[in-house]
Amino acid sequence: KMKSVTFKNGILTDIWVEEATEITEKDFENLDIRLRGISDVPLQITLSFNPINQLHWLYKRFFMSNDEYINTNKYILKTTYLDNKFIDSAYRNKLESYKDSDPYMYQVYTLGNFGVLGNVIFKNWEVRELSEEEKTFNNFRYGLDWGYNDPFCVIKTAINTNRKEIYIYDEIYQRGIETNKQIAELLKVFVRNNYVVCDSSEPKSINEIKAYGIKALPTKKGKDSVVHGIKWLKQFKIVINPKCQSIINEFQLYKWREDRLGNSLEIPVDANNHAIDSLRYAYEDMMTLSSGGLAEYHNDYI
């Protein structure tokens, strides 16, 4: 969208990317080459974001010694909750409580540092260009997780059961969508006439997007459905398209809770999981629990 930006007077001198962890390094390079021409002021890109982990390209490019980028002109401004005069006491207490309960959350969300992950949940994934594989499938699946302050997320995926591989081709990952009508308009382009399995926590929203013509189904969930879904996904190799930066971020960050001694508990931290929840929903009809919690499939989905 930046390619055709022109100005009556002067040139493009500044680009600001909010939530910069959600773009790829290739996106950054494409933005960088748009800054060109003779100007009386420096040409610059501002990247604002919350740090995540040291595997992210932002850390490798701007925060660690790297001969490839050693001549990069950069200025880093770091702030934490202590700089936010509008923060409420409850949120402050929550951030400070991580010091004893979750060292990773304390480093990243409280102190604003790039974290080093130990007990990540998923290690069975890779990033790979999927444009050719996408042409071979016609049975795409879609899962949806609602959000407003949290991101609204939809995943486009497919599965090869013979090869034990799941492919994630595309994503919608947006905050602040105002209405279900806007969501339906996005889904008409993204999902088209396919079914999308939606988080059942918002039945009113499901009914509204169905009224706009979206073939929406509620999740069944059931007892221990989150942990069961995680275990089911871990049976497969998960291949993610490079353009799906948000779900890449989540796979890097999604982790098990720890006790005071640092031992992993079989309870996922309820954060960095919106796209992963969407992925679970997309395959819910293929998952079963011995308790029967997920055994009741959607007949119309099958």
Side-chain angles (χ1 to χ4, degrees):
K1 294 181 180 179
M2 301 290 295
K3 290 181 180 179
S4 58
V5 172
T6 58
F7 301 94
K8 185 176 180 179
N9 298 306
I11 64 169
L12 178 64
T13 61
D14 289 82
I15 297 173
W16 179 11
V17 182
E18 169 67 336
E19 300 291 357
T21 51
E22 296 180 13
I23 69 168
T24 66
E25 189 167 17
K26 184 177 180 180
D27 293 331
F28 174 80
E29 296 286 358
N30 286 332
L31 292 173
D32 193 29
I33 62 174
R34 306 299 166 206
L35 293 174
R36 58 188 181 273
I38 299 173
S39 170
D40 294 331
V41 300
L43 308 182
Q44 64 181 13
I45 297 180
T46 300
L47 305 171
S48 54
F49 58 94
N50 293 308
I52 48 176
N53 70 81
Q54 294 182 7
L55 297 176
H56 199 278
W57 69 267
L58 282 169
Y59 177 80
K60 296 176 182 178
R61 180 157 187 155
F62 297 113
F63 293 85
M64 65 183 292
S65 297
N66 190 325
D67 292 341
E68 184 179 357
Y69 304 120
I70 200 160
N71 294 319
T72 300
N73 294 317
K74 62 186 178 184
Y75 173 78
I76 296 174
L77 172 64
K78 175 186 173 182
T79 62
T80 71
Y81 74 105
L82 297 174
D83 301 291
N84 185 353
K85 65 181 180 181
F86 301 104
I87 197 171
D88 61 85
S89 58
Y91 190 63
R92 177 190 292 269
N93 292 338
K94 180 179 180 180
L95 290 174
E96 292 176 347
S97 71
Y98 290 139
K99 184 174 183 178
D100 296 320
S101 63
D102 194 319
Y104 175 81
M105 296 285 280
Y106 183 69
Q107 284 295 317
V108 174
Y109 291 94
T110 309
L111 302 182
N113 298 323
F114 279 86
V116 179
L117 284 173
N119 59 340
V120 290
I121 292 175
F122 290 104
K123 299 178 182 178
N124 57 319
W125 62 279
E126 67 176 30
V127 179
R128 190 174 79 222
E129 178 60 49
L130 290 174
S131 55
E132 291 303 315
E133 282 92 339
E134 190 170 8
K135 298 174 185 177
T136 66
F137 284 95
N138 57 12
N139 58 333
F140 296 108
R141 290 167 169 263
Y142 299 85
L144 180 154
D145 192 45
W146 305 101
Y148 180 78
N149 293 321
D150 287 331
F152 165 79
C153 183
V154 190
I155 294 296
K156 177 183 178 181
T157 179
I159 187 170
N160 185 323
T161 53
N162 293 327
R163 297 180 62 178
K164 297 291 286 184
E165 291 185 339
I166 288 175
Y167 309 96
I168 302 173
Y169 295 102
D170 206 353
E171 65 181 4
I172 297 175
Y173 202 90
Q174 294 184 24
R175 290 177 173 82
I177 301 177
E178 296 287 344
T179 67
N180 288 326
K181 182 178 181 180
Q182 291 174 312
I183 288 174
E185 292 302 317
L186 289 172
L187 294 177
K188 286 177 183 177
V189 176
F190 191 80
V191 176
R192 300 183 302 280
N193 196 41
N194 297 294
Y195 283 101
V196 56
V197 183
C198 309
D199 182 0
S200 58
S201 66
E202 294 196 21
K204 182 179 178 181
S205 294
I206 294 174
N207 289 332
E208 284 188 21
I209 65 171
K210 286 173 70 174
Y212 288 117
I214 304 302
K215 296 168 73 172
L217 298 168
T219 55
K220 295 292 185 181
K221 296 189 178 180
K223 183 182 177 182
D224 299 325
S225 60
V226 175
V227 173
H228 173 74
I230 289 170
K231 290 181 177 178
W232 189 88
L233 289 172
K234 292 177 77 169
Q235 300 176 78
F236 297 85
K237 181 178 183 180
I238 298 172
V239 185
I240 308 174
N241 221 1
K243 67 179 179 179
C244 299
Q245 186 61 53
S246 298
I247 197 166
I248 292 170
N249 292 346
E250 289 197 0
F251 270 90
Q252 292 176 343
L253 293 170
Y254 197 36
K255 62 191 289 284
W256 299 114
R257 285 177 55 184
E258 299 176 355
D259 62 21
R260 292 185 177 181
L261 299 177
N263 300 309
S264 295
L265 305 173
E266 200 174 63
I267 304 170
V269 175
D270 189 18
N272 306 300
N273 56 351
H274 304 288
I276 292 172
D277 284 349
S278 299
L279 184 64
R280 287 193 300 103
Y281 301 154
Y283 292 101
E284 187 188 56
D285 66 299
M286 298 182 68
M287 303 175 188
T288 58
L289 278 175
S290 58
S291 64
L294 294 179
E296 184 183 352
Y297 294 168
H298 297 284
N299 293 329
D300 47 356
Y301 189 68
I302 297 172

